[in-house]
């Protein structure tokens, strides 16, 4: 049973560019949450998707957007990249069948470096 | 506003000793408290989680102690091993009725277990 997978593993971009990160949830999971983890800090919630819609959003600008596909996989898009967007981007999956969807399992992350 | 405070920032323990990490929260709507372990370059891995209706939960060498009135919870790692050396994050989630189904993380504790 594959866990949460993310691609790519590493990415280097320059300021002003756009980036797309991808996530496939664990088998049987239908909810995907995205987090940003700056170096030496805890993950910060970006947003959450289920039923192909954004359901919850953290304190991130509109430059951060996402999408969920019918197979539950998800994309995170970041436009007009800033140096401060350099971080580890984590995808977490969960199931709406569990109480309150609290149990979230994380993927290995995508390391984004903005130069 | 940081809603989950974690201490200490770093911890050095001798092999076979007990590692203790503490967290305190502010939002009384939180009702699910997981701990995650993260190795360098990897995503956080769920260790153990607790709800406020119990005061303690044990899984192997890992124990969560929970004090609802004080709004504090802690992770105890018994018989600490060098392989436990990692960064540990506490987190809290209020679910859909408690502010949204998103994890709020502490700032992390870097644990080193020495031989």
């Amino acid at each position: 049973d594959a866990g949460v997978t993310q691609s790519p593993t590493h990415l280097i971009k320059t300021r002003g560019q756009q980036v797309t990160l991808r996530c496939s949830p664990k088998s049987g999971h239908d909810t995907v949450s995205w987090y940003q983890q700056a170096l030496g800090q805890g993950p910060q919630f970006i947003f959450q998707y289920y039923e192909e819609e954004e359901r919850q959003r953290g304190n991130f600008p509109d430059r951060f957007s996402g999408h969920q596909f019918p197979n539950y996989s998800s994309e995170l898009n970041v436009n007009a990249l800033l140096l401060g967007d350099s971080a580890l981007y984590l995808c977490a999956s969960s199931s709406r069948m569990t109480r309150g969807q609290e149990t979230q399992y994380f993927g290995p992350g995508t390391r984004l470096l903005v130069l | 506003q940081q809603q989950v405070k974690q201490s200490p920032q770093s911890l050095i323990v001798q092999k076979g000793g007990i590692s203790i990490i503490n967290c305190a929260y502010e939002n009384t709507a939180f009702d699910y408290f997981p701990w995650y372990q993260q190795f360098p370059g990897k995503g956080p891995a769920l260790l153990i989680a607790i709800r406020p209706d119990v005061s303690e939960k044990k899984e192997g060498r890992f124990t969560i102690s929970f004090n609802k009135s004080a709004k504090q919870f802690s992770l105890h790692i018994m018989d600490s091993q060098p392989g436990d050396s990692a960064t540990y994050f506490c987190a809290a989630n209020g679910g859909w009725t408690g502010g949204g189904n998103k994890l709020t993380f502490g700032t992390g504790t870097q644990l080193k277990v020495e031989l």
Side-chain angles (χ1 to χ4, degrees), chain A residues 48-113:
Chain A
Q48 182 178 81
Y49 279 83
Y50 70 84
E51 293 183 344
E52 302 178 45
E53 290 190 18
E54 181 182 299
R55 300 293 181 173
Q56 190 74 218
R57 189 176 183 94
N59 188 25
F60 280 81
D62 292 344
R63 298 187 298 108
F64 290 77
S65 63
H67 187 76
Q68 186 179 36
F69 299 94
N71 67 352
Y72 309 121
S73 67
S74 176
E75 289 182 348
L76 165 65
N77 301 291
V78 187
N79 295 321
L81 284 167
L82 303 174
L83 295 179
D85 295 331
S86 295
L88 180 67
Y89 287 85
L90 296 162
C91 168
S93 79
S94 55
S95 169
R96 296 178 63 207
M97 297 300 293
T98 60
R99 171 183 163 182
Q101 308 174 333
E102 303 96 339
T103 304
Q104 298 187 17
Y105 298 90
F106 285 84
T110 294
R111 174 71 65 185
L112 172 64
L113 178 61

